[in-house]
């Protein structure tokens, strides 16, 4: 069992640490760490390089999260011992993939904020709750035009939705709920600078289409 756990941790972290934003910007001839907010996430890439690169980075960041979870669940199914703990391995993969994205070893542990990658991991674990969070992200963004507010609201809504489903005995479990809370905490903590700027009224907002 310990071998499976170590494999999941190692592979998930490596998948998460794949610097999609940094590489996409390099292809465009830009060091994204020196442009905009300096963050390698999809939002900064979108602001600096436009939709073509920004959407591609978001997809890649979400996909690596989904891939990490699905790979862990597949690995768990290979053994009767681990199949009984498949949810735990999937959650472990989610956490370390997000940590890899947030603190990539290749970029001196300075990565993205984990929103897209968290969405991808939870899509593999709790798809219905993830859809709820994505819908809320879109609604909040359309109303406020702040990616940071939308991201924090979506991050908090994910464990909330899972908790509601769990308490209503429709779906979910305590371990999935608490893992979603952990991911939400990571996302909110990574947005602490944005929250500070929001309070000061200096946070950058996406303009509305004319």
């Amino acid at each position: 069992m310990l071998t499976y756990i170590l494999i999941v941790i190692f592979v998930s972290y490596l998948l998460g640490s794949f610097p999609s934003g940094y590489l996409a910007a390099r292809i465009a001839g830009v060091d994204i760490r020196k442009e905009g907010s300096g963050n390698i996430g999809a939002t900064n890439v979108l602001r600096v390089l436009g939709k073509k690169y920004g959407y591609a980075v978001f997809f890649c960041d979400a996909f690596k999260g989904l891939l990490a979870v699905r790979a862990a669940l597949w690995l768990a199914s290979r053994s009767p011992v681990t199949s009984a703990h498949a949810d735990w391995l999937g959650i472990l993969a989610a956490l370390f993939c997000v940590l890899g994205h947030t603190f990539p070893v290749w970029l001196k542990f300075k990565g993205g904020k984990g929103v897209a990658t968290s969405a991808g991991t939870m899509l593999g674990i709790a798809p219905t709750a993830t859809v709820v969070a994505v819908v809320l992200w879109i609604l909040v963004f359309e109303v406020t035009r702040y990616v940071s507010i939308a991201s924090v609201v979506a991050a908090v809504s994910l464990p909330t939705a899972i908790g509601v489903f769990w308490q209503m005995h429709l779906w979910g479990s305590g371990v999935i709920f608490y893992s979603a809370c952990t991911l939400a905490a990571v996302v909110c903590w990574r947005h602490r600078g944005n929250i500070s700027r929001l309070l000061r009224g200096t946070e950058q907002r996406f303009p509305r289409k004319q």
Side-chain angles (χ1 to χ4, degrees):
M1 184 66 181
L2 179 59
T3 301
Y4 285 93
I5 291 174
L6 293 176
I7 290 173
V8 167
I9 289 174
F10 181 71
V11 172
S12 298
Y13 177 84
L14 285 183
L15 280 172
S17 68
F18 180 77
S20 310
Y22 174 78
L23 294 177
R26 278 300 190 187
I27 291 173
V30 172
D31 186 345
I32 197 65
R33 299 171 298 177
K34 299 178 181 178
E35 303 291 338
S37 67
N39 191 271
I40 68 166
T43 300
N44 194 40
V45 174
L46 178 63
R47 283 198 177 103
V48 174
L49 298 174
K51 294 180 180 179
K52 175 183 176 182
Y53 288 95
Y55 289 170
V57 170
F58 182 90
F59 173 81
C60 288
D61 286 346
F63 179 72
K64 67 188 183 185
L66 177 61
L67 181 60
V69 169
R70 298 312 300 179
L73 295 178
W74 174 85
L75 184 64
S77 70
R78 299 299 93 187
S79 166
V81 175
T82 54
S83 60
H85 305 283
D87 282 351
W88 283 99
L89 287 178
I91 289 164
L92 194 65
L95 292 175
F96 275 87
C97 187
V98 172
L99 288 175
H101 173 79
T102 307
F103 306 106
V105 64
W106 325 111
L107 299 178
K108 298 180 180 179
F109 304 102
K110 296 179 180 179
K113 296 179 179 176
V115 177
T117 306
S118 293
T121 61
M122 295 311 294
L123 186 62
I125 298 172
T128 304
T130 303
V131 169
V132 172
V134 169
V135 170
L136 278 175
W137 189 99
I138 294 171
L139 290 175
V140 173
F141 175 72
E142 286 300 322
V143 171
T144 67
R145 305 305 292 180
Y146 286 115
V147 171
S148 54
I149 295 179
S151 298
V152 170
V153 169
V156 173
S157 71
L158 186 58
T160 302
I162 292 172
V164 170
F165 293 146
W166 177 35
Q167 291 301 311
M168 293 176 67
H169 304 288
L170 297 175
W171 176 89
S173 65
V175 66
I176 294 176
F177 169 72
Y178 292 118
S179 66
C181 288
T182 302
L183 289 178
V186 171
V187 170
C188 290
W189 181 76
R190 289 291 289 166
H191 280 82
R192 64 194 186 283
N194 302 83
I195 294 171
S196 177
R197 288 191 293 273
L198 282 166
L199 294 174
R200 295 197 305 268
T202 58
E203 175 74 340
Q204 188 174 1
R205 170 198 306 234
F206 272 87
R208 294 191 180 277
K209 297 178 181 178
Q210 300 297 325

